[in-house]
Amino acid sequence: MAVKDPSLSRTAIIVAGGSGKRLGGPVPKQFQMIKGRPLLMWTIEAFHHFDRSMPIIVVLPEAHFDIWKALCMGHRFLLEHQVVAGGEQRFHSVKAGLDKVKGDGLVAVHDGVRPLVSKELITRCFAAAHEHGA
């Protein structure tokens, strides 16, 4: 269970800007199907289950916005998240996500194609960030 310090807000930035060239296939890997849904949906869901009130910012290439919107509609994926255009390199994409964070607090930055992150790992990461001022 997530322990929440009421004085700190938390936000998750999920960066999913890759093209998936190394993996191959007809679509970028964040949109490839795993157990009937695009991989990115599983990642977003992991953070949502950790803290349903935590804002989730998904960073995608702007060229993928329509694809993502269609996938969300087609899979009835209704978990609230904000989609932001990424940049040329990962650094720029993370910065674009950080620019959308409201207020002060802790921010998790996670790779969109790593869906198996557990509540326990997210809890430990936020706790360590809080403890060490990261």
Side-chain angles (χ1 to χ4, degrees), residues 39-61:
L39 184 81
L40 182 55
M41 290 180 184
W42 294 102
T43 305
I44 294 169
E45 193 171 73
F47 280 87
H48 176 75
H49 286 315
F50 167 74
D51 180 349
R52 294 179 190 279
S53 67
M54 179 173 60
I56 298 173
I57 300 167
V58 176
V59 185
L60 292 170

Side-chain angles (χ1 to χ4, degrees), residues 23-39:
L23 180 65
V27 296
K29 77 179 148 180
Q30 62 268 29
F31 302 142
Q32 295 216 4
M33 302 300 262
I34 303 291
K35 295 182 82 175
R37 293 192 312 172
L39 184 81

Side-chain angles (χ1 to χ4, degrees), residues 10 27 37 50 64 67 96 123 125:
R10 296 186 298 208
V27 296
R37 293 192 312 172
F50 167 74
H64 293 169
I67 296 167
T123 298
C125 289

